Each structure stands twice: as C-alpha cells, then as structure tokens.
C-alpha cells in the first residue's frame, strides 16, 4: 500500500534561515505527491504538487519541492523562512484507488526570532 | 467567493448522542471527502463520494455515516457507535475523483465529548 513517512515530528529554525522538510514515500509506480500546510485550528492549504515532468516543483509562499525517484523522496524547501511559516506541514501521496490521499503524520515547524 | 464551508466550528456530543457535521461547497466539484485528524496521526479517510447519491467507505468508516443528496453537500453523522469521536474533522472536495485531482479542504470542525 502507498504510504508516506515524515521523519521529523518537530523542526525549529531561525527566521531567515533555510528550511528543508523531509518526506519519503512508498509506492510502486509514479506517485502523485502533495505538500499541504495547516495553521493551528485551520484547514489544509495546498502548497504544491508533483504529477510528472520537471522534478523541481515551485509552489506558493516561496516553497519548492524536489522529487527524487532514486531516494523515494519529495522534500520541501524554502530558502529563507518567515515567522508566518510556523505551522504544521503534511506530505501526501494519492492512493491506488484514486479516491484518497495517504498523509504523513506531519512536521511541526517552529520559527524563532 | 468559492470555497468549502464547515459548520459548526466546535461541536459537543453527549454520551449516546448522534451528531451531524455540515460540509457545503460552491466549487461545482463532483467529489467530496471526510477526513479525521488526531494529534500526531495525520489525516485518515472516513468516507468519500464521487457523485450524488453514491459514497464509499474509507479506512475508518465504523461509527460514521454520510449522505450525498445534493452535489454541494456532504454531511457526516457521528453515531453513538463511534466510541472515540473526539477529533478534528476535515471535509475536502475535488473536481472529480482520481489520483491527479487536487483536494481542497474546508476549515474543519472540532468535535468534543462531554
């Protein structure tokens, strides 16, 4: 079955520093991958998605992610973090059934001054 | 403004009571979904619907029921059979069902047991 692992439960970065959130997937074929962000008590907002083509995907709010098939990874990056980026980040892969997303358990980002 | 609305924002359930969570979308999307979110667990699929009058169980459907009488609406009932209902419930929709479809989420309903 398709699954996603986010190895880091919590990450703390200083404002202005670079960020990389890790995501590893388990999937036999070409995966359809997503990154979502969730602010406390809110719904999920799509940051970016990968279906095919260029392995470096640009998203909203200055985020990007790189699909690496050889490493089964889809890591999220941002060159310079802002305090407003503090939130929970979820990686997800579309299931074989085509009707659900399989989510990782999330990474909580804390941004310090 | 197009979007997904969920109500109420907070809901309290007494023992043995059924409660219904509302989800409405004006995006003209065919597919709708209900997820449950527990701390440290990510999101898990409860039910999904591809078209009106059709819906399928997800991974954790026991103790829940749904209906899809209108394209815009996909209410979720948490029945008394759900023994651990305290969670954050998220509704989502997509243009249609399928792996390449992006799911858009509502703001969520937090259900608490009294």
């Amino acid at each position: 079955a398709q699954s996603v692992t986010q190895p880091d439960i919590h990450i703390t970065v200083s404002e202005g520093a670079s960020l990389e959130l890790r995501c590893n997937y388990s999937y036999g074929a070409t995966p359809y991958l997503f990154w979502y962000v969730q602010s406390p008590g809110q719904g999920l907002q799509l940051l970016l998605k990968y279906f095919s083509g260029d392995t470096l995907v640009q998203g909203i709010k200055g985020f990007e992610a790189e699909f690496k098939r050889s490493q089964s990874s889809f890591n999220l990056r941002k060159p310079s973090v802002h305090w407003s980026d503090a939130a929970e980040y979820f990686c997800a892969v579309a299931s074989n059934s085509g009707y659900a997303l399989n989510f990782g358990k999330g990474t909580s980002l804390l941004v310090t001054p | 403004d197009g979007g997904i609305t969920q109500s109420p924002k907070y809901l309290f359930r007494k023992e043995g009571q059924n409660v219904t969570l509302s989800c409405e979308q004006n995006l003209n999307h065919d597919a709708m979904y209900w997820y449950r979110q527990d701390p440290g667990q990510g999101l898990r699929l409860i039910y999904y619907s591809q078209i009106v009058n059709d819906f399928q169980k997800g991974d954790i459907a026991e103790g829940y029921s749904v209906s899809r009488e209108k394209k815009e609406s996909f209410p979720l009932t948490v029945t008394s059979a759900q023994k651990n209902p305290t969670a954050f419930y998220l509704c989502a929709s997509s243009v249609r069902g399928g792996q390449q479809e992006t799911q858009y989420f509502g703001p969520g309903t937090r259900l608490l047991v009294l």
Side-chain angles (χ1 to χ4, degrees), chain B residues 82-93:
Chain B
Q82 173 50 244
K83 297 307 178 187
N84 184 24
T86 297
F88 192 50
Y89 291 87
L90 289 157
C91 179
S93 71

Side-chain angles (χ1 to χ4, degrees), chain A residues 27 32 34 36 38 41-44 46 49 51 88 90 94-106, chain B residues 9 33 35 37 40-43 45 48 50 59 88 90 97-108 110:
Chain A
Y27 195 77
Y32 300 102
F34 304 80
Y36 285 87
Q38 183 181 36
Q42 302 297 315
L44 276 66
L46 179 71
K49 59 189 177 185
F51 291 166
E88 188 94 17
F90 291 95
S95 73
N96 268 340
S97 71
Y99 303 117
L101 290 174
N102 293 328
F103 284 86
K105 295 186 176 182
Chain B
K9 188 174 177 68
Y33 313 80
Y35 289 89
Q37 184 179 24
Q41 293 297 317
L43 280 72
L45 183 68
Y48 64 92
Q50 299 177 64
D59 298 324
F88 192 50
L90 289 157
Q99 287 184 311
Q100 296 193 41
E101 295 298 321
T102 298
Q103 293 185 22
Y104 299 91
F105 285 80
R110 187 165 299 280

Side-chain angles (χ1 to χ4, degrees), chain B residues 36-56:
Chain B
R36 171 179 170 142
Q37 184 179 24
D38 295 282
Q41 293 297 317
L43 280 72
R44 293 178 290 170
L45 183 68
I46 305 173
Y47 268 98
Y48 64 92
S49 168
Q50 299 177 64
I51 55 173
V52 174
N53 292 323
D54 182 67
F55 47 84
Q56 304 295 329

Side-chain angles (χ1 to χ4, degrees), chain A residues 28-113:
Chain A
T30 300
Y32 300 102
L33 295 159
F34 304 80
W35 273 102
Y36 285 87
V37 61
Q38 183 181 36
S39 297
Q42 302 297 315
L44 276 66
Q45 181 183 22
L46 179 71
L47 286 175
L48 49 79
K49 59 189 177 185
Y50 172 78
F51 291 166
S52 64
D54 193 345
T55 57
L56 186 62
V57 180
Q58 301 297 320
I60 63 170
K61 304 186 180 187
F63 286 92
E64 66 178 27
E66 186 171 12
F67 172 66
K68 292 186 178 180
R69 184 186 299 276
S70 62
Q71 299 178 19
S72 297
S73 69
F74 187 56
N75 294 348
L76 183 71
R77 301 194 295 245
K78 186 169 185 178
S80 177
V81 169
H82 188 262
W83 63 265
S84 60
D85 292 324
E88 188 94 17
Y89 291 80
F90 291 95
C91 183
V93 62
S95 73
N96 268 340
S97 71
Y99 303 117
L101 290 174
N102 293 328
F103 284 86
K105 295 186 176 182
T107 297
S108 179
L109 174 65
L110 177 65
V111 180
T112 58

Side-chain angles (χ1 to χ4, degrees), chain B residues 16-106:
Chain B
Q17 187 181 39
N18 293 352
V19 293
T20 297
L21 286 62
S22 170
C23 177
E24 304 276 333
Q25 54 97 0
N26 61 3
L27 301 168
N28 200 34
H29 286 175
D30 284 331
M32 297 186 74
Y33 313 80
W34 274 106
Y35 289 89
R36 171 179 170 142
Q37 184 179 24
D38 295 282
Q41 293 297 317
L43 280 72
R44 293 178 290 170
L45 183 68
I46 305 173
Y47 268 98
Y48 64 92
S49 168
Q50 299 177 64
I51 55 173
V52 174
N53 292 323
D54 182 67
F55 47 84
Q56 304 295 329
K57 292 182 179 180
D59 298 324
I60 56 166
E62 184 175 352
Y64 300 96
S65 66
V66 294
S67 63
R68 185 90 186 274
E69 297 176 0
K70 297 186 300 182
K71 186 175 185 176
E72 311 81 53
S73 177
F74 191 39
L76 173 74
T77 296
V78 184
T79 74
S80 58
Q82 173 50 244
K83 297 307 178 187
N84 184 24
T86 297
F88 192 50
Y89 291 87
L90 289 157
C91 179
S93 71
S94 60
V95 173
R96 61 188 66 83
Q99 287 184 311
Q100 296 193 41
E101 295 298 321
T102 298
Q103 293 185 22
Y104 299 91
F105 285 80

